[in-house]
Amino acid sequence: VALARRTGDRALEFEGSYLRAADLIELGDVAGAHGESLERIAHLASESRVHYYRWATECLRVLLAFASSRLGEIDALAQKALQIGQEEQNNNAVLVFGIHMALLMRDLGRHSEAEPFLMGLDLYPLIAPNLRAARAMLYLETDRTMEARAELDALMSQLGGLQRNLAWVFTL
């Protein structure tokens, strides 16, 4: 990030700052992620005019709300990210929205409302193992042991295909 700033590479600065903020969230350092300056990230996204960056910034706002336990804000933030993603014709916008909403419903204890979001994401084969893990967890939390076992059995056959992507940490 420092090198990107020194050389004036705004795209690299955005990506480095964004990924560092996401890493800090994963590590549980929400204050550090906020300190990474969400407003600076948003400014870089706007300045760059790279459509993906606008959407990614809104997704970061959702992650920060989750990490800060601001559950009441997440629905609106996720809707905004979805809207921006769809305006920009981002193929991942619906996928990420579904994940956001499934996690929100689960965190709110509204498990029956989480399941449809997880079922509708099977169109994304690269994260099929991740989705199986999420469904297994949901089934376990709702005492649906047989369905959880079926998902875990299927997951075991896919473990070699588990991608180390942004969904990986949630799968674990």
Side-chain angles (χ1 to χ4, degrees):
V1 172
L3 179 60
R5 286 181 182 150
R6 280 197 306 270
T7 61
D9 189 334
R10 298 290 193 232
L12 186 60
E13 182 183 354
F14 171 87
E15 291 177 17
S17 297
Y18 178 90
L19 290 172
R20 186 166 55 192
D23 288 346
L24 290 169
I25 292 169
E26 287 180 13
L27 292 170
D29 185 359
V30 178
H34 276 290
E36 186 56 40
S37 180
L38 180 59
E39 294 315 310
R40 177 68 180 158
I41 291 169
H43 174 75
L44 289 166
S46 176
E47 183 182 85
S48 75
R49 299 181 190 252
V50 175
H51 302 305
Y52 176 83
Y53 291 171
R54 288 183 54 227
W55 172 75
T57 300
E58 294 308 315
C59 289
L60 185 60
R61 291 183 199 281
V62 175
L63 289 177
L64 282 167
F66 269 115
S68 302
S69 299
R70 299 186 333 260
L71 300 182
E73 299 174 27
I74 293 170
D75 190 352
L77 291 170
Q79 292 283 348
K80 184 175 181 185
L82 173 64
Q83 177 186 353
I84 289 170
Q86 288 179 322
E87 287 170 2
E88 308 302 342
Q89 300 178 343
N90 182 326
N91 294 331
N92 292 321
V94 172
L95 166 67
V96 173
F97 174 76
I99 293 168
H100 288 157
M101 294 307 295
L103 290 171
L104 176 60
M105 294 302 112
R106 180 181 160 259
D107 287 353
L108 293 173
R110 295 162 46 187
H111 295 92
S112 64
E113 295 175 61
E115 188 173 359
F117 287 108
L118 294 175
M119 299 308 284
L121 299 176
D122 285 334
L123 299 172
Y124 299 90
L126 285 177
I127 64 161
N130 310 86
L131 294 172
R132 286 200 179 282
R135 283 194 299 258
M137 178 69 92
L138 178 66
Y139 294 150
L140 283 172
E141 291 172 344
T142 55
D143 296 321
R144 294 162 61 187
T145 308
M146 296 303 290
E147 289 166 284
R149 183 167 290 138
E151 290 289 354
L152 289 173
D153 287 345
L155 177 61
M156 293 309 294
S157 69
Q158 295 178 323
L159 277 183
L162 188 59
Q163 301 289 314
R164 283 200 170 219
N165 54 25
L166 290 176
W168 179 76
V169 74
F170 299 109
T171 303
L172 297 179

